[in-house]
Amino acid sequence: VFLVFAAAFFPANTDFIVLGLYLGGVLVAVLTGLLMKKLVHKDEDTPLIIELPRYRAPRAKSLGLALWASFKDYISRAGTVILLMSIVIWFLSNFGFADGVFGVVGIEDSLLAIAGGFIAPIFAPAGFGFWIAAVALLAGIAAKEAVVGTLGVLCSVSGSSAAGSTVLDAAALAAVGFTSASALSFMVFMLLYIPCAATLAAMAREANSWKFAGKQVAYGLVVAWALSVVVYQVAVLVGM
């Protein structure tokens, strides 16, 4: 996602934009840790004492058993969530109402498009308050890689890409409403908002609590929205 948008709107500074985003993500993580330490875990003492075992060359059988156990655990727990999210996104993007009849429709008339149009105004202060951007973000819940594919399909459907091409260039993205400023804020939101389904499942599993994962999601959404709004407003102010 970063490479597509950075290459489209900032071709001369693509490397610096992508690097800046990753460094920004690290900075937000560090500040979040400090904030949690001061406000949430301020009275907790967590000494780190780890007894390191002797290093030995692993045996092939033991290594294989450990890998199989981890793989099976991932498939049985995280994999089920990924499958479920993928099915939900597929259903929402392929079914909807056309002429008052519910059935298979194009993605522009789908339930996903309706949901995107409903939440799109929330992103108006960040510069991408249109349904195509909102739908791409919803699809990104299943997997962040799906954002690029979804945008490619929607740009093609909306006629933004010549001859039905799904190539995402500056012209195609600008035709659906993106500008340099909103592209930058969109990347910031992508960096910090809801992680993919696999990550959500892993978070809930490690904490043994979906409530904990839900709080993480809520925090991520608030931080992502606030920072993307700030980035967009500053970018517009400096004439980007």
Side-chain angles (χ1 to χ4, degrees), residues 103-129:
V104 179
V105 297
I107 194 169
E108 71 276 11
D109 297 317
S110 66
L111 295 174
L112 193 63
I114 295 174
F118 180 76
I119 67 173
I122 299 174
F123 303 114
F128 48 92

Side-chain angles (χ1 to χ4, degrees), residues 64-76:
L65 290 174
L67 289 174
W68 170 246
S70 298
F71 176 74
K72 187 171 67 172
D73 182 64
Y74 175 82
I75 293 299
S76 62

Side-chain angles (χ1 to χ4, degrees), residues 55-101:
Y55 287 99
R56 301 177 183 272
R59 295 181 179 179
K61 181 179 180 181
S62 300
L63 183 60
L65 290 174
L67 289 174
W68 170 246
S70 298
F71 176 74
K72 187 171 67 172
D73 182 64
Y74 175 82
I75 293 299
S76 62
R77 296 193 182 189
T80 53
V81 176
I82 297 172
L83 177 61
L84 177 61
M85 289 296 297
S86 298
I87 292 173
V88 170
I89 294 297
W90 172 85
F91 178 82
L92 293 177
S93 62
N94 285 278
F95 286 85
F97 294 92
D99 300 324
V101 179

